[in-house]
Amino acid sequence: MENALENLALGSRVAVIRLRSLGDCVLTTPALELLKQSRPDLQIGVIVEDRFAPVFEGNPNVQAILPPAIKPLARWRPDLCLNLHGGTRSIVLTAGSGARIRAGFAHFRGAAVYNLRIPTAQEILHVDRKVHTAEHLASAVFFLGARRQPIPRARLFAPPIERPERPYAVIHAVSANPAKTWTAQGFLEAARHLQQDNLEPVFIAGPGEDLSPFHEYRCIAGAPLASTKTLLANASLFVGNDSGPAHMTAAFGVPVVVLYGKSDPIVWAPWRAQSQVLVDDESIHNIRAAQVIEAIHRLRASLGVSR
């Protein structure tokens, strides 16, 4: 099946399975845009956990958001099911989708489920290097027959609100993984410099995460993802660990400063974003506050904002 998209009737339904994580969900949006640009008539449904569903809400390329369960997926009656996850649960969903065309990466486990097996991104893109996650996901839709073109940046959508009275910078200073979490003291130093640059620091965290070291600033923990989208969309800057919120902010076109330790920025850096990336392969804790502050100034200067 050389071009799966050509084998789909007008108005066909395409189910895209995108389970976990937040960053992966955000970086799936370029692939969805490429798919829709190539076949605007397609009805695209995303199968995703409820907690990450707001990533796709308001996206004009997505016509349905479905829970990761066989019955609602089968009732939606997709003509093509594209598995972008590859784990056990997604394999079961693909098999139970009832889709005539079932596509997934051939090097993932459970490839027997697919009647259309997708080669590696390197083979599809004709490159001999590591690829970014956005490239990996977009390569799948190129293989299906989407028009070859530059891969766009990730995009999220939030309802418009009035401009905030005071410009602010969002700081994401916590992570479930200590190896991906910069020091609290470092973030506090960065926050003080942001204040001097007339940006209000706003610290965010997930449910149950501790923001007490940053109590002198505005702190928002455990907010619904939909309201977090609005907060990030209207920020002037983001500073934080390599994380889902960093990718979300970049998807709104907000400039970001992101810190990396063990995770690979070649694979996980903000995609096509105004960004400064700081890396220490040995430990994220080796990154100095002065480096982060200089990255903030460098980024703002590139945007025409003086110190």
Side-chain angles (χ1 to χ4, degrees):
M1 196 178 301
E2 292 184 2
N3 190 323
L5 297 188
E6 285 186 357
N7 284 276
L8 294 177
L10 194 69
S12 290
R13 293 181 172 185
V14 177
V16 179
I17 298 176
R18 176 67 280 170
L19 308 184
R20 305 189 299 271
S21 61
L22 180 55
D24 282 316
C25 288
V26 174
L27 292 173
T28 299
T29 61
L32 299 178
E33 185 169 337
L34 292 167
L35 189 58
K36 195 69 172 178
Q37 284 180 355
S38 296
R39 284 287 305 269
D41 61 291
L42 295 178
Q43 300 295 299
I44 299 175
V46 178
I47 292 78
V48 62
E49 292 101 330
D50 287 347
R51 59 182 172 150
F52 298 135
V55 168
F56 302 101
E57 289 173 357
N59 190 324
N61 299 314
V62 177
Q63 284 65 58
I65 299 174
L66 304 169
I70 289 176
K71 284 186 179 180
L73 172 56
R75 279 198 301 266
W76 197 64
R77 301 184 66 180
D79 301 282
L80 183 156
C81 183
L82 171 61
N83 185 0
L84 291 180
H85 181 246
T88 303
R89 190 180 185 189
S90 65
I91 293 168
V92 172
L93 288 168
T94 304
S97 68
R100 176 173 59 88
I101 304 173
R102 300 176 304 281
F105 284 101
H107 58 286
F108 287 173
R109 57 185 174 178
V113 166
Y114 312 128
N115 55 16
L116 182 58
R117 299 177 185 177
I118 301 172
T120 65
Q122 284 81 358
E123 292 175 78
I124 297 167
L125 301 175
H126 307 297
V127 297
D128 183 20
R129 58 170 174 78
K130 285 182 183 179
V131 297
H132 191 279
T133 301
E135 294 178 294
H136 168 68
L137 298 171
S139 73
V141 300
F142 287 145
F143 184 76
L144 295 178
R147 181 169 58 88
R148 299 286 182 128
Q149 58 183 298
I151 300 166
R153 71 172 174 86
R155 285 185 174 85
L156 268 61
F157 299 84
I161 64 169
E162 292 184 13
R163 291 182 64 84
E165 291 184 8
R166 181 184 176 191
Y168 61 88
V170 172
I171 302 179
H172 184 236
V174 295
S175 169
N177 183 350
K180 296 176 68 173
T181 308
W182 195 42
T183 64
Q185 183 57 42
F187 280 116
L188 285 169
E189 289 189 46
R192 284 190 281 271
H193 278 268
L194 288 168
Q195 273 192 317
Q196 293 170 9
D197 279 350
N198 297 315
L199 286 175
E200 178 195 4
V202 179
F203 285 83
I204 63 169
E209 293 180 328
D210 182 19
L211 287 178
S212 59
F214 316 107
H215 62 87
E216 63 191 278
Y217 299 105
R218 180 152 65 109
C219 293
I220 302 172
L225 194 56
S227 61
T228 300
K229 281 203 308 182
T230 300
L231 179 75
L232 296 175
N234 291 279
S236 296
L237 184 74
F238 173 95
V239 181
N241 305 305
D242 165 36
S243 63
H247 292 292
M248 289 176 67
T249 311
F252 283 116
V254 175
V256 296
V257 176
V258 189
L259 288 73
Y260 291 80
K262 296 292 186 181
S263 51
D264 189 344
I266 294 175
V267 179
W268 290 109
W271 176 248
R272 298 197 185 284
Q274 297 170 316
S275 63
Q276 288 284 313
V277 171
L278 297 168
V279 186
D280 192 294
D281 294 332
E282 292 185 4
S283 173
I284 194 172
H285 301 128
N286 291 337
I287 298 173
R288 293 176 289 107
Q291 293 174 272
V292 175
I293 291 163
E294 184 53 39
I296 292 169
H297 290 314
R298 198 161 51 238
L299 182 56
R300 300 195 79 204
S302 72
L303 301 170
V305 181
S306 60
R307 294 192 178 190

